[in-house]
Amino acid sequence: MSTSTRPRRRVFLPFALITSATLLLTACGSGDSDDGGGSGTAQAAARSDRIPTTDVVSSIPKDETAAKLLPSGVSSLTVAISVGGAPPGTTYLSDGKTLTGQDVDFAAAVAKVLGIRLKREAAGFEAILPALDSGKYDFGASNFGVTDERRKAIDFVTYINDGQGFAAREDSRLGKITDLRQLCGLNVATGAGTTFEATLEDNKKLCTEAGKKAYQVQTYSEQGAIWSSLQQGRSDVVMSTINGLRYAVAHQDGVKFLNEFHRLDVGFAFKKGTELAPAFQAAVNKLIADGTYDRILKKWGTTGSAIEKSQISPPELKN
């Protein structure tokens, strides 16, 4: 260990270093999960020792009261999860096939409570919600924010509170962003098909109405591409999930978290009119009551996103 007092040179680490995992989750019996939907070899090429390794799922017992709320005959479900981010979001383990992340844990935990088998399928974030109505997937678990617009076509069962935030390079002049007009003239990187993209596109007019050059919205399907754009100077600022930004800033040098911009409830997503919602709500509330919920949040460093109780399609938070 060095005892030098010379200031440490800050190195801007490639985002690939925090988009892989080292732990293989273990689960047996009811609620076990099968992974499918492609290979994540590229994302998992660089191993990381920063992925949480605590098993918080395999010992969860079935709860008969919650299980009785399932529609008759339901013994297995398929969940779609978008991949390509970094913890606490979903990424591949070093085998390039197995998924890990906060959404993975919550989906698996609910399945254990309900005593059902869960098949996980990797899918593009923007493709999941449209595919629910067709029955391709039974539900989605990808940090979906509950908005009034989405509630028109989707039912939600909430399990955390997250939302929208900003980050930038450490040398950026940007500080706390409380008004999107602070972004005028800048390039803003964000995820395709997200509430961030919708918020940015809907409010570009704020700049032109103020007589300023509108910001440019740059959308990417992979979180790694978003951070590469920032690193390489093609983007000036990133808009993403509060939890994802905090994790990224904590695990790579050269970037700073600016602020929380808008909080949203986050929920499992189902086709409109689903009969699964009451059982999932009861399962989440069981996890909250028995302490498993807190253990999952502590594992992923997201205790600031705790909710007191699960709700079915609540109105969008206004803040």
Side-chain angles (χ1 to χ4, degrees):
M1 179 183 295
S2 172
T3 58
S4 172
T5 58
R6 184 175 61 186
R8 181 170 64 92
R9 180 174 177 264
R10 295 184 69 82
V11 179
F12 198 41
L13 299 177
F15 192 69
L17 293 180
I18 62 171
T19 59
S20 58
T22 58
L23 169 69
L24 290 174
L25 299 181
T26 58
C28 301
S30 297
D32 288 2
S33 299
D34 295 325
D35 295 314
S39 171
T41 303
Q43 291 95 330
R47 296 171 65 88
S48 170
D49 61 358
R50 297 188 175 104
I51 303 296
T53 61
T54 307
D55 176 7
V56 290
V57 173
S58 63
S59 64
I60 298 173
K62 179 180 178 180
D63 182 78
E64 295 294 343
T65 301
K68 287 179 181 179
L69 296 175
L70 284 169
S72 177
V74 172
S75 61
S76 66
L77 294 172
T78 298
V79 57
I81 304 178
S82 68
V83 190
T90 302
T91 188
Y92 286 104
L93 298 182
S94 58
D95 63 4
K97 296 183 297 182
T98 307
L99 303 177
T100 187
Q102 180 172 257
D103 293 319
V104 173
D105 275 353
F106 270 119
V110 166
K112 295 287 284 187
V113 171
L114 297 178
I116 58 175
R117 186 171 180 82
L118 192 65
K119 181 180 180 181
R120 298 190 295 237
E121 291 196 8
F125 181 89
E126 63 272 24
I128 295 176
L129 296 184
L132 294 176
D133 193 54
S134 69
K136 184 177 182 179
Y137 311 116
D138 294 303
F139 70 103
S142 293
N143 209 72
F144 288 112
V146 181
T147 68
D148 290 337
E149 184 63 28
R150 283 178 173 170
R151 289 194 307 127
K152 295 176 182 178
I154 300 293
D155 281 342
F156 293 94
V157 174
T158 61
Y159 57 97
I160 59 169
N161 175 275
D162 194 350
Q164 304 172 336
F166 291 98
R169 291 185 302 277
E170 201 166 48
D171 60 0
S172 172
R173 62 175 176 78
L174 289 170
K176 184 175 182 179
I177 296 175
T178 58
D179 190 317
L180 294 181
R181 280 169 286 208
Q182 294 171 252
L183 304 176
C184 295
L186 301 179
N187 293 322
V188 187
T190 195
T194 61
T195 59
F196 319 116
E197 180 185 7
T199 296
L200 291 167
E201 292 291 355
D202 290 347
N203 289 282
K204 289 177 75 171
K205 61 186 178 182
L206 294 175
C207 292
T208 55
E209 289 173 353
K212 301 179 179 180
K213 181 181 178 181
Y215 51 76
Q216 296 300 309
V217 183
Q218 302 167 320
T219 58
Y220 300 91
S221 296
E222 298 286 340
Q223 284 292 314
I226 292 176
W227 289 98
S228 292
S229 180
L230 183 72
Q231 292 170 347
Q232 296 167 12
R234 297 192 306 273
S235 303
D236 301 295
V237 61
V238 170
M239 187 180 192
S240 190
T241 67
I242 294 167
N243 288 332
L245 292 174
R246 288 191 184 280
Y247 187 95
V249 169
H251 290 85
Q252 61 175 322
D253 292 331
V255 291
K256 61 182 179 180
F257 180 73
L258 299 182
N259 70 296
E260 298 183 5
F261 183 72
H262 177 48
R263 279 275 176 178
L264 287 171
D265 285 320
V266 169
F268 298 115
F270 305 83
K271 69 178 181 180
K272 196 69 177 176
T274 182
E275 296 181 351
L276 294 170
F280 271 67
Q281 181 189 32
V284 174
N285 285 331
K286 175 63 176 178
L287 294 170
I288 292 173
D290 69 14
T292 303
Y293 182 84
D294 285 339
R295 288 191 287 274
I296 294 174
L297 293 183
K298 287 178 181 177
K299 172 181 176 178
W300 297 105
T302 56
T303 53
S305 286
I307 58 174
E308 293 184 358
K309 64 178 181 179
S310 177
Q311 300 181 75
I312 297 176
S313 298
E316 179 179 349
L317 294 176
K318 304 297 183 182
N319 60 332

